[in-house]
């Protein structure tokens, strides 16, 4: 059975935090062959969302950061889907947008997207709001979503 979890950093158990960091490393470091500093001192100022099942563990993950941590706006980051093609990415993004709206009263949400994923984020209404830039050897862009009131 699949479950969506939404917890602030201070509500996470050690095992939950370990599973989250393991999943992030699996995608961003191992699969993308990109050594980078994932532990960026921002996790403690975020809500962490993940979809998990009893058999495979974490299937998708994202975090929602309060204003002033990454941007002046509320931010979504570290979006991953372990099992692709099964709409987990869509589900975790919709949940992250809802958490940004409810927990942080977000009117605007920003994120940094890998350029190849631009189309994915556009499906949620995000628009490119910066020129392309390099982050850890991977082309990125800033994207912004303006929410209806």
């Amino acid at each position: 059975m699949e479950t969506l979890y939404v917890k602030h950093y201070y509500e996470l158990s050690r095992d939950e935090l370990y599973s989250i960091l393991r999943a992030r490393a699996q995608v961003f470091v191992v699969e993308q062959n990109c050594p980078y500093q994932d532990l960026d001192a921002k996790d403690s100022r975020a809500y962490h969302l993940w979809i998990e099942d009893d058999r495979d563990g974490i299937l998708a993950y994202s975090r929602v950061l309060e204003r002033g941590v990454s941007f002046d706006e509320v931010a979504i980051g570290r979006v991953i889907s372990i099992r692709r093609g099964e709409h987990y990415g869509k589900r975790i993004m919709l949940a992250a947008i809802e958490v940004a709206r409810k927990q942080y009263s977000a009117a605007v949400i920003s994120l940094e997207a890998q350029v190849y994923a631009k189309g994915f984020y556009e499906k949620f209404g995000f628009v490119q709001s910066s020129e392309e830039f390099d982050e850890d050897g991977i082309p990125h862009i800033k994207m912004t979503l303006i929410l209806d009131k």
Side-chain angles (χ1 to χ4, degrees), residues 1-68:
M1 182 166 111
E2 297 172 2
T3 306
L4 169 67
Y5 294 93
V6 178
K7 294 187 177 187
H8 195 275
Y9 175 82
Y10 295 107
E11 300 172 300
L12 296 172
S13 72
R14 286 185 301 247
D15 288 342
E16 289 168 336
L17 180 59
Y18 177 85
S19 294
I20 287 167
L21 296 175
R22 185 175 187 272
R24 287 178 5 189
Q26 176 184 337
V27 172
F28 292 122
V29 178
V30 177
E31 287 181 14
Q32 295 184 358
N33 193 26
C34 179
Y36 84 108
Q37 184 60 46
D38 179 42
L39 301 178
D40 58 4
K42 296 179 181 181
D43 284 319
S44 65
R45 298 185 60 193
Y47 278 89
H48 299 265
L49 299 78
W50 69 99
I51 300 169
E52 179 178 301
D53 73 9
D54 298 333
R55 187 187 70 185
D56 296 325
I58 293 179
L59 305 172
Y61 167 85
S62 69
R63 69 180 181 184
V64 181
L65 298 150
E66 64 184 86
R67 287 173 191 82

